[in-house]
Amino acid sequence: MISLRRPAVLAVAVAAALAGFGLSGPGTATADRAEAARDTINSKHVVAISVDGLNPRALKRLGRAGTPNLHRIIKDEGAGTVNARSQLEMTVTLPNHTSMVTGRRIKAAKGGHGVTWNDDTVTKTVQQAAGHGVDSVFSQVRAAGGTTAVYATKSKFWLFERSWPAAIEPNVIEVEKDGAVAKALRADLATDPASFSFLHLGKPDQVGHDHGWMSPTYLKAVAKVDRIVGKIMAQIESTPSLRANTIIVLTSDHGGIPGTRNHAIKTNRENYRVAFAFWGPGAGVPNTELYKLNADRAKPGRTRPGFKAVPQPIRNGEVANVSLDILGIGPVPDSLWNSAQDLNWK
């Protein structure tokens, strides 16, 4: 288990290490690329939640009785879809989450972030993987005067803190402990909510690898995550200042093939189909199907549209720029997904 709230001296140490590789430190790069702060950040709060390994089939199998809170976000109260898409190049955890927070595709040679590994043995930063400076939702929020926080259940998410050390505080990692990271988030929401909070819940992915996607144990894990999300929703609803200004953005990195422990086949619909939704009880989020709210996006059916498809489907990599849009800030520089910030959320 890792429980981390970063000491300030770490930013200096990481910047020095990057300098040794001939790259600017993340904090310096962000300052130099200050088109970040188009506007001063507004008073809203975004809680981005990624449910790792959530196959939308689980929501149908469990129904409203088994996943009442996810149904509230995606179907019954929020603006959502269960037919968004993961990243085209890979349907694995760390590359997809890095796309979520940078708005970039994966392949570095094509302007992507370059994070192709999926464990904590690689100690590169995103900037080193890409070969140049890479900004993120974290650096943009901080440049605009806001605050950010990360709560994650896998040690490989240290990548974010390593890459943008001056922009993330707190950074809480509790390995395989969804309840603990959610509790830390709720404690901070009660006392000093960040402008942008990123919550990673990993139990469905963990159980999918151990017991198989759509197995009884997997479905129990999804139901448990639903209860955790429900506690966050209840806190937002019952706190007037949060209720009026907080929006949950929910998605996933990938699904998983039923009856297997596999999600790495990028061309399999069970892997590339993910949910994407907005929920905010007092923040103006309508109750509608997300593609109906975004007529300039193409509902993909069972297909896997490529980079050149016009119009595009909704993708999990849009988390960064739609969150910045909610907060009144311009897009991540050099990002791809939703760089025009035209994904409607209200």
Side-chain angles (χ1 to χ4, degrees):
M1 179 183 73
I2 299 173
S3 181
L4 172 68
R5 288 178 181 259
R6 172 181 57 82
V9 295
L10 182 61
V12 177
V14 172
L18 288 176
F21 282 93
L23 291 173
S24 298
T28 303
T30 298
D32 290 344
R33 296 153 66 85
E35 55 189 297
R38 179 190 67 190
D39 298 304
T40 301
I41 197 165
N42 61 32
S43 60
K44 289 185 172 64
H45 304 283
V46 173
V47 179
I49 302 176
S50 173
V51 182
D52 198 327
L54 178 63
N55 186 324
R57 285 185 185 273
L59 303 179
K60 185 174 182 179
R61 181 76 62 83
L62 290 164
R64 283 177 173 80
T67 51
N69 300 298
L70 293 175
H71 270 80
R72 286 176 63 197
I73 292 174
I74 300 169
K75 293 180 178 292
D76 298 339
E77 297 176 12
T81 179
V82 292
N83 204 16
R85 292 291 180 262
S86 69
Q87 293 305 294
L88 280 155
E89 294 125 314
M90 302 177 75
T91 51
V92 292
T93 298
L94 198 58
N96 269 259
H97 281 90
T98 308
S99 290
M100 289 182 203
V101 302
T102 64
R104 291 177 181 251
R105 63 181 290 179
I106 296 170
K107 190 173 183 179
K110 296 291 186 177
H113 52 69
V115 175
T116 57
W117 64 91
N118 194 38
D119 56 38
D120 58 6
T121 62
V122 178
T123 59
K124 291 180 181 179
T125 63
V126 174
Q127 291 82 1
Q128 290 166 349
H132 50 72
V134 177
D135 289 295
S136 67
V137 61
F138 307 114
S139 57
Q140 301 306 96
V141 169
R142 288 301 295 265
T147 54
T148 73
V150 170
Y151 310 86
T153 66
K154 293 180 177 179
S155 57
K156 57 193 167 189
F157 281 93
W158 175 255
L159 171 69
F160 295 166
E161 166 70 13
R162 197 164 64 238
S163 301
W164 301 284
I168 300 172
E169 175 63 36
N171 182 50
V172 180
I173 298 177
E174 298 272 4
V175 176
E176 297 184 358
K177 292 187 177 294
D178 287 15
V181 292
K183 184 176 181 180
L185 166 64
R186 289 190 286 110
D188 288 340
L189 287 176
T191 57
D192 188 20
S195 307
F196 176 81
S197 301
F198 191 88
L199 174 65
H200 167 264
L201 299 173
K203 192 70 172 180
D205 181 72
Q206 175 193 344
V207 172
H209 283 294
D210 290 343
H211 300 277
W213 264 263
M214 300 305 293
S215 66
T217 310
Y218 171 81
L219 294 174
K220 287 180 182 178
V222 173
K224 182 177 181 180
V225 162
D226 183 88
R227 293 191 292 272
I228 290 171
V229 171
K231 290 180 180 179
I232 298 168
M233 296 169 69
Q235 180 175 358
I236 291 171
E237 288 182 297
S238 63
T239 307
S241 59
L242 294 177
R243 179 183 176 87
N245 294 296
T246 305
I247 295 171
I248 287 177
V249 181
L250 181 138
T251 192
S252 183
D253 50 351
H254 56 76
I257 301 173
T260 79
R261 303 178 184 185
N262 175 31
H263 61 73
I265 303 173
K266 64 184 181 182
T267 56
N268 190 301
R269 181 172 178 262
E270 302 290 350
N271 296 333
Y272 63 65
R273 183 171 71 114
V274 296
F276 200 110
F278 302 91
W279 179 87
V285 178
N287 178 212
T288 186
E289 207 279 337
L290 195 55
Y291 280 101
K292 289 183 179 179
L293 194 61
N294 289 275
D296 60 342
R297 303 303 178 92
K299 197 169 185 177
R302 301 182 64 86
T303 68
R304 180 175 168 268
F307 289 104
K308 295 182 179 180
V310 180
Q312 283 281 313
I314 295 164
R315 298 190 185 275
N316 63 4
E318 304 193 50
V319 168
N321 283 330
V322 78
S323 297
L324 292 170
D325 183 39
I326 292 169
L327 296 170
I329 308 170
V332 180
D334 303 318
S335 57
L336 173 64
W337 305 124
N338 195 28
S339 59
Q341 294 184 311
D342 57 0
L343 180 66
N344 295 321
W345 56 274
K346 69 176 182 178

